[in-house]
Amino acid sequence: MALVLGLALFATCWFIHLIVWRIHRPQAYPIWLPAIFFVLPLLGAIVLNLYPIPLFQVKSLELDCVKGVLLHVMLSCSYICGYAGIIEYSPTAEILFVVDRHMPAGISERALNVDSLTECSLTGKRVDHLVAAGVTKLEEGRYALTQTGKFIACLSKKYRTFLGVAGIGEG
Amino acid sequence: MILIWILLLTPVTTFVSTAIIIRIQKFSLDQVSAQNACFLAGLMNGSGILIVSLCLELKKGNHDPIAIASLILYVFAFMFCVNFLNWFIYALTETSMHIHIVALIGHYGSLSHDELYSLYNKNTIITVRIPRLLQLGQLKRKDEQLVLSGSWVLMGAIGCRILRRILGIPTRPELVKRES
């Protein structure tokens, strides 16, 4: 029951997400995705609570409902985090696609040129995102961190220190 | 109820296990990359949770094969998500271009446009990923040529392309320019 409920809840939310995206893909997906995957089911639960349905009155199913909701939350968190990999074009993936096109002979590292990605679509695009999100700011021709950016940098460093790896990743 | 509490704790135990594995492997001859440490921690925690949940279910006297199979699938799905999120948070700090730019600017205090691009550009972004793919077993060197050796990262990338097509997002970066 928990497995079916969790998967059904996630699948329903994902179908609503597909319909919304097909009508008009929103730019503010960090707001839309949590709204679809978390707020909508919560509203649904509130509405269902107002109209008692015999199935949900069965005490023995309460734990299954909790486990089902837990699975839905984990699946939704994974999907929302993984969505960045869908909306952004991973350089790692583009490298593999280029190597795949040259199989079985392969390609030398020197000849590896990922034409699908440009400076503008890599560093440039990310810098624009960070400025638009208020994480970095441009002052007198130099990029600096805002308070939000400093918090993110500090959090990342502390996380990596706890994990036992170098303070800054390789990027 | 005990299972729910155990499941709620697994993200923490998986994260702590990852940190322990990374620290222990520094003393061993066989170096495990941090990414592989994430997967190893997930596998260990997942196996442990599966055994505990099966024991709890059998202790309740439930021997129904469908219920047992359903429980196994549930734990697998749950731990897959925990493992993915554990790896994702690490990958965010290690490979995310956004976070790397933030970390660079934070490290240097401030950077001009040219300074930032000299530190982090298309060449550095691609160059740093090749050893990572070699370490993950996705690429290997064969007579000075890079060839595919593993497939799961490529399969993930193809999965993303399929999802883009379903969601109506341009499937390749060069198509984004055409769309705009």
Side-chain angles (χ1 to χ4, degrees):
Chain A
M1 176 72 182
L3 179 70
V4 170
L5 179 65
L7 291 175
L9 199 49
F10 177 75
T12 306
C13 291
W14 194 87
F15 191 64
I16 294 169
H17 155 51
L18 173 64
I19 293 170
V20 171
W21 256 239
R22 276 298 188 170
I23 294 169
H24 178 71
R25 181 160 45 96
Q27 290 290 322
Y29 66 87
I31 297 169
W32 276 88
L33 287 177
I36 291 169
F37 283 92
F38 298 124
V39 177
L40 266 181
L42 191 61
L43 289 173
I46 292 169
V47 168
L48 280 172
N49 207 34
L50 295 171
Y51 300 95
I53 295 169
L55 183 68
F56 295 104
Q57 303 302 307
V58 180
K59 218 65 180 138
S60 60
L61 292 179
E62 268 181 8
L63 271 179
D64 277 336
C65 285
V66 172
K67 284 194 274 181
V69 166
L70 205 55
L71 182 59
H72 164 73
V73 167
M74 291 307 288
L75 287 167
S76 301
C77 286
S78 300
Y79 180 76
I80 292 169
C81 289
Y83 184 79
I86 298 167
I87 197 78
E88 302 290 346
Y89 300 96
S90 161
T92 303
E94 296 303 313
I95 291 168
L96 290 173
F97 286 134
V98 169
V99 175
D100 187 42
R101 279 201 294 274
H102 289 83
M103 290 298 284
I107 184 169
S108 70
E109 202 168 323
R110 207 169 289 175
L112 184 67
N113 186 25
V114 187
D115 293 326
S116 55
L117 298 170
T118 61
E119 290 289 359
C120 190
S121 68
L122 288 167
T123 310
K125 188 177 159 190
R126 271 80 185 169
V127 170
D128 291 341
H129 284 168
L130 290 169
V131 172
V135 176
T136 59
K137 57 188 175 185
L138 190 59
E139 277 178 348
E140 294 169 6
R142 298 184 73 81
Y143 292 106
L145 295 180
T146 60
Q147 285 302 317
T148 307
K150 285 175 186 170
F151 174 73
I152 292 169
C154 181
L155 196 64
S156 172
K157 198 170 177 185
K158 283 194 190 313
Y159 167 85
R160 292 181 66 83
T161 304
F162 184 88
L163 210 57
V165 294
I168 299 177
E170 291 180 334
Chain B
M1 197 64 196
I2 299 170
L3 182 62
I4 292 172
W5 285 112
I6 293 170
L7 290 172
L8 284 171
L9 283 172
T10 50
V12 176
T13 58
T14 307
F15 169 60
V16 171
S17 305
T18 308
I20 291 170
I21 291 168
I22 289 171
R23 281 179 162 74
I24 288 173
Q25 64 85 26
K26 284 178 183 172
F27 297 104
S28 73
L29 291 171
D30 289 324
Q31 296 285 303
V32 173
S33 73
Q35 292 213 57
N36 286 336
C38 290
F39 299 136
L40 193 58
L43 187 66
M44 284 165 50
N45 277 267
S47 306
I49 298 302
L50 189 61
I51 292 167
V52 166
S53 57
L54 280 172
C55 288
L56 285 171
E57 196 68 16
L58 292 170
K59 198 179 169 186
K60 278 195 288 183
N62 187 359
H63 297 274
D64 177 25
I66 293 172
I68 299 289
S70 177
L71 176 67
I72 292 170
L73 283 172
Y74 178 92
V75 171
F76 179 79
F78 190 90
M79 286 311 298
F80 180 86
C81 293
V82 169
N83 201 14
F84 173 78
L85 288 168
N86 183 51
W87 167 81
F88 177 82
I89 294 169
Y90 165 75
L92 206 60
T93 66
E94 176 69 23
T95 65
S96 162
M97 287 178 273
H98 289 93
I99 299 294
H100 191 72
I101 291 167
V102 169
L104 276 177
I105 296 171
H107 180 74
Y108 288 98
S110 68
L111 287 169
S112 68
H113 182 274
D114 289 343
E115 284 168 349
L116 179 60
Y117 274 77
S118 74
L119 285 167
Y120 201 52
N121 50 59
K122 179 180 170 179
N123 189 47
T124 57
I125 288 167
I126 288 173
T127 306
V128 85
R129 277 159 172 74
I130 292 170
R132 200 176 286 152
L133 286 167
L134 289 165
Q135 201 174 42
L136 276 174
Q138 302 303 295
L139 290 178
K140 66 179 177 188
R141 290 189 197 281
K142 189 180 168 190
D143 301 327
E144 305 287 315
Q145 302 286 87
L146 289 170
V147 294
L148 293 176
S149 63
S151 62
W152 64 267
V153 176
L154 185 62
M155 289 297 115
I158 292 169
C160 284
R161 270 195 180 173
I162 293 169
L163 273 170
R164 282 182 205 130
R165 191 178 292 277
I166 294 169
L167 292 170
I169 299 168
T171 53
R172 297 194 306 276
E174 51 268 39
L175 295 175
V176 174
K177 293 177 225 171
R178 283 187 221 167
E179 190 188 64
S180 55

